[in-house]
Amino acid sequence: MSVIREELNRVAQHWNLHTIRQSNGEMPGGRPDVLFFLPEERDAIQYKIASDESDLEVAENLRGTRNHPLGCSSKLER
């Protein structure tokens, strides 16, 4: 798994070297990480909303379990 993780990290780093062009005057341009993590830096709107553990529990009860059906683990392997 470490080979896959390293490759994904390499692709993410490479992707974030690119700049996304502004489109239609409505969509801000910039680096992908900046647009995602710091939208206010590009005069964009932050659409994330805070949630707490009880929200996750309700969603889990409605959907089922947090475990992936293929048996994937959410724990990071190092």
Side-chain angles (χ1 to χ4, degrees):
M1 282 304 254
S2 65
V3 173
I4 295 171
R5 182 166 309 283
E6 288 173 15
E7 181 65 14
L8 289 174
N9 288 336
R10 189 186 67 71
V11 169
Q13 288 174 344
H14 179 74
W15 178 251
N16 282 301
L17 294 175
H18 294 85
T19 301
I20 297 173
R21 290 186 294 172
Q22 183 177 5
S23 65
N24 299 333
E26 296 177 19
M27 304 298 292
R31 303 249 184 230
D33 271 352
V34 173
L35 292 172
F36 183 79
F37 293 109
L38 301 168
E40 59 278 359
E41 291 288 319
R42 304 298 299 171
D43 295 325
I45 299 170
Q46 175 65 271
Y47 287 103
K48 286 192 286 188
I49 58 171
S51 63
D52 56 26
E53 188 64 29
S54 64
D55 293 335
L56 297 175
E57 289 174 8
V58 169
E60 184 179 89
N61 289 334
L62 290 173
R63 179 186 114 2
T65 178
R66 286 188 192 182
N67 295 331
H68 192 279
L70 297 176
C72 299
S73 173
S74 61
K75 296 178 184 176
L76 292 176
E77 292 183 22
R78 296 182 190 231

